[in-house]
Amino acid sequence: MQKIFIGMLLVFFDLTVNANGHVVGVLPDFVGYIFIFMGCREMSQESNHFSRAYPFIVGMAVYGTVIWVLQLFGITYYGDTWPFAVLSMAVTCVSLYIDYCIILGVRDMEDTYNSSFRSGTLENVWLATAIFSIAGVIALMLMPILGAICIAGGLAAQVVFLYLFYQAKKEYTLVTGTEASE
């Protein structure tokens, strides 16, 4: 679970450097998705829900790589057009699906180990993140101020999600008595 957590952190933190019109991602998302993939692969023996996310994780890693390379060459566009909004919505939904697969995997582990890894709370926070994120993408096109508020709410929910997942990871390590997935 450690690799999944590191990957989630890397995806969450978007550290970039702007130089002469070029944007260089210091912590590119695709690296985070590679970590998430490796972590899900390690955890797949605990639940098949982790492996169900594989194609989506790979897709997000490829998408992140393409975006990173385009930005490296100074090709960026963040407009307020409907095609951009549709792409943003698709990326948001895929990312949410990956997180949901991980939550379901955590839920399966709760049953296996007869212990609480906070899957119910993770799911509730995930739902809040999903509502804020999807509403934010839509609202940005219609009412930018409301969109910004929704995105801020989504970011706050993601911070809580990361904290809860970290707690679940610690509990899993404690219950299993192993650092094998670390």
Side-chain angles (χ1 to χ4, degrees), residues 55-116:
F56 299 95
I57 299 168
V58 170
M60 289 299 285
V62 169
Y63 171 78
T65 302
V66 169
I67 295 298
W68 184 77
V69 169
L70 289 174
Q71 289 177 341
L72 194 60
F73 289 109
I75 303 169
T76 58
Y77 178 72
Y78 298 105
D80 57 355
T81 63
W82 286 104
F84 178 76
V86 170
L87 179 61
S88 291
M89 184 65 73
V91 167
T92 299
C93 289
V94 169
S95 179
L96 288 167
Y97 178 75
I98 291 167
D99 288 347
Y100 192 67
C101 286
I102 292 168
I103 291 168
L104 292 177
V106 170
R107 179 174 294 147
D108 285 351
M109 293 183 333
E110 285 178 330
D111 293 340
T112 300
Y113 293 102
N114 197 25
S115 184
S116 174

